[in-house]
């Protein structure tokens, strides 16, 4: 079946300025794995999208003007898909629908409505001063009994929007509290201003306490599927865990493992910075790859990149050029899990990784932490990604070019 939509950012179907609702029907499958759409918002808007009438599952991504993913979700096979909504600023955006398995038609619904500006409160008219009444003879007022001082409110919220704000985490933060059947959740918010390895430790006194690490990917104030990154429990061997994270805002949720239990708890968060050194951040497609430039200067040219890949950003691409025959060495190292580097040559220039275009692969968990490849003049790509699903890491990629 012939698709009406392009399959790269540069050939994306242009929906022009989106204002109101629009429905599109198309197809993805073995012969057409991706559909890209381009649209523009003239003002800050509430944007929503849903994918319906699927015979097999698809992956949906919303990208900004640079091709950076800002929202993603998986839509399983269903007649009616869930609707994802978020606020977007005025500008140009892309939407990508990717086949996961099998062929399927789909119905894509997009809707955009301007976010209303707040209406200023009316200025009240001046009220004339009342004419004072005669002053009566004062009557003694009985002294009221003292009112008991209420206990201070609990500082911890039990939703993402009311979470207690730890602030920017640099080093160690510790907190204590109590959870029970009546007040069974405490939620805390913290910020990382650079990539870091986060260690979380949880202890409970009389019963098992559970700690969940959460990233609100669509910023809707709810904990949706896939937004719990890691879980630790005070009565298991996993009472502590370490997770690589990029800069951003995160939450931890503490609750009793049993809904009928009560326990006091204490937890510690320890952030070890692993700052990145690439700006702008590398894209996750060939067309949006970070441009390294020309590498093969004599006697040797070296490029080093440090960044994050994992559950929140599953791949980074780098593009470089060689203007003569070169021996290229590729090294990959990672912090907490295995990272994989793939050397790619886009032979047909279509912006996709087709069969036979991956020249060589190296992994930080294998003896092939580095490899060397003889290359002729041309433009090449290196992809960095987790070697296993559901793992995250901060990595260091090194490219060393020796001209022949």
């Amino acid at each position: 079946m012939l698709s009406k939509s392009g399959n790269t950012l540069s050939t994306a179907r242009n929906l022009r300025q989106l204002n109101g609702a629009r429905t599109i029907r198309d197809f993805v499958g073995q012969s057409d794995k991706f559909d890209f759409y381009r649209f523009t918002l003239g003002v800050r808007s509430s944007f929503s999208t849903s994918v319906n009438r699927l015979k097999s599952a698809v992956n949906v991504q919303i990208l900004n003007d640079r091709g950076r993913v800002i929202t993603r979700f998986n839509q399983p096979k269903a007649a009616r898909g869930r609707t994802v909504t978020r606020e977007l600023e005025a500008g140009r955006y892309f939407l990508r629908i990717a086949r996961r398995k099998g062929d399927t038609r789909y119905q894509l619904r997009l809707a955009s409505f301007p976010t209303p500006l707040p209406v200023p409160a009316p200025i009240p008219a001046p009220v004339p001063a009342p004419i004072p009444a005669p002053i009566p003879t004062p009557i003694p007022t009985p002294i009221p009994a003292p009112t008991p001082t209420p206990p201070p409110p609990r500082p911890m919220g039990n939703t993402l929007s009311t979470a207690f704000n730890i602030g920017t985490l640099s080093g160690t933060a510790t907190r204590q509290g109590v959870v029970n059947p009546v007040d069974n959740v405490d939620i805390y918010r913290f910020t990382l201003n650079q990539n870091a390895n986060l260690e979380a430790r949880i202890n409970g006194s009389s019963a098992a306490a559970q700690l969940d690490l959460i990233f609100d990917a669509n910023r809707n104030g709810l904990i949706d599927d896939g937004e719990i990154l890691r879980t630790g429990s005070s009565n298991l061997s996993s009472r502590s865990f370490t997770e690589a994270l990029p800069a951003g805002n995160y939450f931890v949720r503490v609750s009793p493992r049993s809904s009928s239990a009560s326990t006091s708890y204490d937890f510690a968060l320890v952030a070890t910075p692993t700052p990145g050194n690439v700006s702008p951040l590398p894209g996750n497609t060939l067309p949006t790859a970070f441009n390294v430039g020309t590498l093969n200067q004599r006697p040797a040219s070296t490029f080093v990149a440090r960044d994050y890949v994992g559950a929140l950003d599953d791949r980074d691409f780098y593009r470089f050029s060689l203007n003569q025959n070169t021996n290229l060495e590729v090294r990959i190292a990672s912090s907490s899990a295995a990272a994989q580097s793939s050397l790619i040559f886009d032979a047909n220039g279509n912006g996709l990784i087709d069969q036979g275009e991956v020249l060589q692969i190296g992994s930080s968990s294998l003896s092939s932490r580095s490899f060397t490849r003889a290359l002729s003049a041309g433009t090449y790509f290196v992809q960095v990604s987790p070697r296993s699903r559901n793992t995250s890491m901060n990595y260091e990629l090194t490219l060393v070019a020796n001209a022949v």
Side-chain angles (χ1 to χ4, degrees):
M1 178 177 181
L2 183 61
S3 174
K4 300 177 182 178
S5 307
N7 52 19
T8 68
L9 292 177
S10 58
T11 61
R13 181 177 174 181
N14 187 3
L15 304 181
R16 304 187 184 279
Q17 183 162 317
L18 185 63
N19 188 7
R22 184 166 180 180
T23 301
I24 300 166
R25 296 176 178 84
D26 213 320
F27 165 91
V28 286
Q30 181 64 33
S31 61
D32 181 19
K33 299 178 181 179
F34 307 99
D35 280 352
F36 282 84
Y37 298 90
R38 183 172 75 249
F39 62 92
T40 302
L41 299 179
V43 296
R44 178 181 173 88
S45 302
S46 174
F47 174 79
S48 62
T49 181
S50 63
V51 183
N52 307 299
R53 300 181 182 180
L54 295 173
K55 294 184 178 179
S56 61
V58 297
N59 176 269
V60 183
Q61 295 179 344
I62 301 173
L63 305 93
N64 63 18
D65 189 38
R66 295 186 174 183
R68 188 74 176 176
V69 175
I70 55 177
T71 296
R72 69 178 70 194
F73 64 93
N74 293 323
Q75 177 58 58
K77 173 183 176 181
R80 182 177 180 83
R82 67 187 181 112
T83 299
V84 173
T85 303
R86 69 170 294 167
E87 295 289 323
L88 295 178
E89 300 294 338
R92 187 174 71 164
Y93 296 88
F94 295 89
L95 186 141
R96 174 181 181 262
I97 296 181
R99 161 190 179 267
R100 296 190 67 189
K101 185 177 180 182
D103 298 351
T104 182
R105 298 174 184 268
Y106 65 84
Q107 177 178 282
L108 172 65
R109 187 179 186 277
L110 307 173
S112 170
F113 298 98
T115 303
L117 296 175
V119 179
I123 300 174
V127 179
I131 299 173
I135 300 174
T137 303
I139 300 173
T141 303
I143 300 174
T147 302
T149 302
R154 287 173 55 84
M156 288 72 71
N158 53 15
T159 66
L160 298 189
S161 58
T162 61
F164 178 83
N165 188 12
I166 295 175
T168 299
L169 183 62
S170 58
T172 302
T174 59
R175 291 291 184 275
Q176 303 83 34
V178 177
V179 285
N180 52 55
V182 177
D183 182 14
N184 62 355
V185 172
D186 284 346
I187 297 181
Y188 302 80
R189 181 175 76 248
F190 67 94
T191 300
L192 296 176
N193 57 17
Q194 58 186 323
N195 296 353
N197 290 324
L198 178 75
E199 181 186 3
R201 299 189 292 265
I202 178 72
N203 294 297
S205 59
S206 57
Q210 177 172 301
L211 183 145
D212 299 314
L213 175 63
I214 298 165
F215 177 68
D216 187 14
N218 55 13
R219 293 185 291 182
N220 67 349
L222 303 175
I223 303 172
D224 300 315
D225 291 344
E227 292 186 342
I228 298 178
L229 304 181
R230 291 290 297 271
T231 295
S233 174
S234 61
N235 74 334
L236 302 176
S237 59
S238 59
R239 57 170 54 94
S240 69
F241 61 80
T242 300
E243 181 77 2
L245 296 172
N249 297 315
Y250 299 90
F251 300 85
V252 289
R253 178 179 64 182
V254 182
S255 59
R257 280 183 58 82
S258 171
S259 59
S260 61
S262 299
T263 183
S264 59
Y265 66 85
D266 64 85
F267 71 84
L269 302 176
V270 183
T272 303
T274 56
N277 67 342
V278 183
S279 181
L281 294 176
N284 52 17
T285 64
L286 295 186
T288 61
F290 178 85
N291 187 14
V292 176
T294 301
L295 271 182
N296 51 337
Q297 303 172 357
R298 290 184 179 275
S301 180
T302 301
F303 169 78
V304 179
R306 301 180 188 91
D307 204 2
Y308 161 93
V309 288
L312 304 181
D313 181 13
D314 62 357
R315 68 198 66 191
D316 284 347
F317 283 90
Y318 298 86
R319 181 176 73 250
F320 63 93
S321 298
L322 306 174
N323 56 21
Q324 57 185 309
N325 293 342
T326 301
N327 288 327
L328 178 73
E329 181 183 3
V330 180
R331 304 176 198 151
I332 186 70
S334 55
S335 58
S336 55
Q340 178 173 287
S341 60
S342 303
L343 178 62
I344 299 164
F345 177 65
D346 187 14
N348 56 12
N350 67 347
L352 302 174
I353 304 172
D354 299 314
Q355 186 173 2
E357 292 185 342
V358 177
L359 306 181
Q360 196 157 343
I361 296 175
S363 171
S364 60
S365 68
L366 304 175
S367 59
S368 56
R369 288 186 178 89
S370 67
F371 62 82
T372 301
R373 181 88 175 199
L375 299 174
S376 58
T379 298
Y380 299 86
F381 298 84
V382 171
Q383 173 186 286
V384 180
S385 59
R387 188 164 177 265
S388 302
R389 296 184 62 185
N390 302 320
T391 57
S392 300
M393 67 224 59
N394 294 297
Y395 66 85
E396 180 177 276
L397 171 70
T398 305
L399 306 178
V400 181
N402 288 281
V404 177

